[in-house]
């Protein structure tokens, strides 16, 4: 049976160049990067080279990159670290309702500690209103944290404009760029970004490695204590194999970005058009144009996302419903809810995220299999028969294709 992996926003395979490099750092260049001997110096060289590779992808300086265990840790470190270092200046944080849980749950935690958080609403295509952002800013606002690309629906947020506003008001800006890093251009200076989170496993490097960009001069209280690694911002023996793998993956992503984004945008649009054309009562979630290359999220009315995933899996297709993190719960995705999509339609959402390993043949296969599965599920669905007639009015706003 054909197997098609279309869940690249959840994780990616480690690319072979990276796997090969990493293996060498497990078995041969295995030194502790803090050791003075040759083994240690070789490991240190690998770490510092990776720091340069990563900095160059976002136009930062190498000394502004701090390695972490991944995107979640970078988000926690950025948010908790800046508000703790600036709590004499205020206690107000601005974010959005559609952030990843690594940001949202951190903000909830800080609310319990006495900080106040504004969660900006979003439009029906998951974008923010810059005037709402301006109006939310208070005298005591110390941090704005807004994602670059939404992981569930793929919308690209206007970070450059957000950066302009943050700069004018002299407020620190953190950006969760885990979904955009290595896929679309980022320039931390042009975009006025002060802190940025990225993760290795979303760009064909191993899991458990990520980084935080911290602009020179921005104060950050560490979350961990116990050594002087990463200039005391993130102590603990460096994950050298992960770091060198992340560095190489970042460099290769930069080199291939333009060609790969053209290719993935073409495949993405073919998949979106095919689904909307072949499946009645389907709609695209997120922006049609301000959209990450390779990111598809559709709602298929009268369908239950989880059963759809199981049926696709039986046909060898790996996808997700909403996001991998929310798949475990029965609540509809917080992102789709914030976009104003009604429960029933949010439950029938399907995320297909493309990457390096996907071909046009994969798109054709999904476009052949998916409509058949949907038809089968709909014919068995009690929702289909009753809701088609009764609730059509109520949900009509959601069935518009954007
Ligand atoms: C995957 C992801 C994270 C978490 O990164 P990990 O490295 O898996 O901890 C954070 N934010 C966004 C937007 C993501 O997609």
């Amino acid at each position: 049976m054909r197997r098609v992996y279309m869940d690249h926003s959840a994780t990616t395979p480690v690319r072979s160049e990276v796997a090969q490099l990493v293996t060498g750092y497990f078995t041969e260049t295995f030194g502790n990067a803090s050791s003075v001997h040759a083994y240690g110096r070789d490991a240190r060289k690998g770490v510092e080279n990776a720091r340069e590779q990563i900095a160059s992808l976002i136009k930062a300086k190498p000394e502004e990159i701090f390695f972490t265990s991944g995107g979640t840790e970078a988000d926690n470190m950025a948010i908790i670290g800046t508000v703790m270092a600036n709590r004499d200046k205020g206690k107000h944080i601005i974010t959005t309702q559609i952030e990843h849980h690594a940001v949202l749950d951190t903000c909830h935690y800080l609310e319990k500690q006495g900080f106040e958080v504004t969660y900006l609403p979003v439009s029906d295509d998951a974008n923010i209103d810059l005037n709402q952002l301006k109006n939310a800013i208070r005298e005591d606002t110390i941090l704005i944290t807004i994602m670059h690309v939404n992981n569930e629906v793929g919308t690209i947020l206007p970070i450059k404009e957000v950066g302009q506003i943050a700069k004018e008001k002299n407020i620190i800006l953190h950006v969760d760029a885990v979904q955009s890093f290595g896929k679309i251009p980022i320039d931390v200076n042009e975009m006025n970004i002060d802190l940025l989170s990225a993760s290795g496993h979303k760009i064909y490097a191993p899991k458990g490695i990520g980084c935080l960009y911290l602009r020179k001069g921005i104060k950050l209280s560490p979350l961990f204590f116990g050594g002087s690694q990463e200039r005391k911002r993130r102590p603990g023996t460096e994950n050298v194999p992960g770091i060198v793998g992340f560095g190489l993956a970042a460099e290769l992503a930069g080199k291939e970005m333009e060609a790969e984004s053209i290719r993935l945008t073409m495949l993405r649009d073919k998949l979106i058009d095919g689904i909307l054309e072949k499946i009645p009562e389907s709609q695209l979630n997120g922006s049609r144009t301000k959209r990450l290359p390779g990111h598809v999220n559709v709602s298929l009315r009268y369908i239950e996302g989880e059963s759809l995933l199981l049926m696709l899996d039986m046909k060898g297709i790996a996808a997700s419903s909403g996001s991998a993190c929310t798949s475990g719960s029965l609540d509809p995705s917080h992102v789709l809810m914030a976009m104003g999509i009604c429960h029933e339609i949010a439950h029938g959402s399907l995320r297909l995220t493309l990457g390096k390993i996907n071909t046009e043949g994969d798109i054709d296969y999904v476009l052949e299999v998916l409509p058949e599965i949907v038809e089968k599920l709909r014919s068995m669905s009690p929702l289909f028969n009753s809701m088609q007639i009764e609730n059509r009015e109520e949900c009509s706003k959601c069935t518009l294709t954007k």
Side-chain angles (χ1 to χ4, degrees), residues 32 175 216-217 266 355 374:
N32 185 321
V175 173
K216 199 169 175 233
M266 197 269 291
V374 169

Side-chain angles (χ1 to χ4, degrees), residues 9-11 68-75 98-103 147-152 176-180 183 197-202 206-211 325 351:
S9 280
T11 199
T68 67
S69 68
T72 301
E73 188 189 321
D75 283 341
I98 59 164
E99 297 301 308
H100 189 274
H101 280 115
V103 169
M147 69 199 327
H148 191 191
V149 167
N150 182 269
N151 49 302
E152 289 191 35
D176 176 338
V178 173
Q179 289 292 337
S180 58
K183 298 178 197 159
S197 308
S199 177
H201 75 100
K202 306 279 172 82
K207 292 160 187 60
I209 183 68
C211 73
C325 320
R351 184 181 74 172

Side-chain angles (χ1 to χ4, degrees), residues 210-314:
C211 73
L212 177 66
Y213 154 76
L214 173 66
R215 179 180 293 281
K216 199 169 175 233
I218 299 287
K219 280 195 283 178
L220 187 89
S221 301
L223 302 187
F224 297 166
F225 301 88
S228 58
Q229 293 93 345
E230 298 301 279
R231 283 175 293 136
K232 294 199 175 173
R233 293 313 200 303
R234 206 284 193 177
T237 302
E238 295 92 338
N239 170 5
V240 180
I243 289 171
V244 296
F246 187 23
L248 179 59
E251 185 184 323
L252 295 172
K255 281 192 182 137
E256 297 166 3
M257 188 185 290
E258 207 180 319
E260 185 65 353
S261 82
I262 291 170
R263 190 184 79 90
L264 289 178
T265 301
M266 197 269 291
L267 293 180
R268 173 198 81 187
D269 289 344
K270 179 173 177 177
L271 185 55
I272 293 173
D273 291 339
I275 292 173
L276 298 183
E277 191 191 301
K278 291 187 171 198
I279 304 177
E281 302 213 53
S282 55
Q283 71 168 33
L284 178 70
N285 294 318
S287 171
R288 172 86 215 212
T289 48
K290 289 182 208 123
R291 189 175 195 90
L292 189 71
H295 200 300
V296 177
N297 186 313
V298 287
S299 277
L300 309 166
R301 238 186 132 177
Y302 317 113
I303 297 285
E304 213 268 296
E306 298 302 303
S307 13
L308 183 58
L309 291 188
L310 292 176
M311 301 272 279
L312 284 169
D313 191 34
M314 285 194 282

Side-chain angles (χ1 to χ4, degrees), residues 38-294:
Y39 293 87
R41 291 197 307 272
D42 287 347
R44 170 61 53 199
K45 235 187 190 162
V47 169
E48 297 315 320
N49 182 47
R51 213 186 294 284
E52 281 170 26
Q53 288 169 311
I54 285 165
S56 125
L57 186 59
I58 56 170
K59 311 278 193 295
K61 300 187 191 84
E63 63 271 23
E64 294 174 318
I65 302 298
F66 296 85
F67 290 109
T68 67
S69 68
T72 301
E73 188 189 321
D75 283 341
N76 274 262
M77 209 170 129
I79 299 168
I80 301 174
T82 29
V83 302
M84 286 304 173
N86 290 282
R87 66 185 151 173
D88 54 324
K89 297 200 186 78
K91 57 172 185 200
H92 184 233
I93 303 164
I94 300 174
T95 187
T96 76
Q97 293 178 0
I98 59 164
E99 297 301 308
H100 189 274
H101 280 115
V103 169
L104 284 181
D105 291 353
T106 304
C107 287
H108 295 152
Y109 162 76
L110 288 169
E111 280 184 289
K112 289 199 192 106
Q113 308 302 312
F115 289 90
E116 289 171 16
V117 184
T118 299
Y119 300 89
L120 295 173
V122 293
S123 60
D124 59 5
D125 63 356
N127 219 331
I128 51 164
D129 178 339
L130 295 167
N131 282 320
Q132 266 174 342
L133 168 63
K134 280 185 199 157
N135 292 336
I137 294 173
R138 314 192 317 207
E139 277 296 305
D140 64 344
T141 305
I142 49 174
L143 175 70
I144 297 174
T145 171
I146 294 184
M147 69 199 327
H148 191 191
V149 167
N150 182 269
N151 49 302
E152 289 191 35
V153 298
T155 297
I156 302 173
L157 280 77
I159 293 303
K160 195 176 166 189
E161 288 78 2
V162 170
Q164 199 62 44
I165 294 167
K167 194 185 176 182
E168 274 163 28
K169 301 279 182 179
N170 204 16
I171 300 167
I172 296 170
L173 171 63
H174 165 249
V175 173
D176 176 338
V178 173
Q179 289 292 337
S180 58
F181 181 82
K183 298 178 197 159
I184 56 176
I186 298 175
D187 181 327
V188 289
N189 299 312
E190 201 181 277
M191 297 163 108
N192 287 304
I193 298 170
D194 296 309
L195 300 100
L196 176 144
S197 308
S199 177
H201 75 100
K202 306 279 172 82
I203 63 158
Y204 311 97
K207 292 160 187 60
I209 183 68
C211 73
L212 177 66
Y213 154 76
L214 173 66
R215 179 180 293 281
K216 199 169 175 233
I218 299 287
K219 280 195 283 178
L220 187 89
S221 301
L223 302 187
F224 297 166
F225 301 88
S228 58
Q229 293 93 345
E230 298 301 279
R231 283 175 293 136
K232 294 199 175 173
R233 293 313 200 303
R234 206 284 193 177
T237 302
E238 295 92 338
N239 170 5
V240 180
I243 289 171
V244 296
F246 187 23
L248 179 59
E251 185 184 323
L252 295 172
K255 281 192 182 137
E256 297 166 3
M257 188 185 290
E258 207 180 319
E260 185 65 353
S261 82
I262 291 170
R263 190 184 79 90
L264 289 178
T265 301
M266 197 269 291
L267 293 180
R268 173 198 81 187
D269 289 344
K270 179 173 177 177
L271 185 55
I272 293 173
D273 291 339
I275 292 173
L276 298 183
E277 191 191 301
K278 291 187 171 198
I279 304 177
E281 302 213 53
S282 55
Q283 71 168 33
L284 178 70
N285 294 318
S287 171
R288 172 86 215 212
T289 48
K290 289 182 208 123
R291 189 175 195 90
L292 189 71

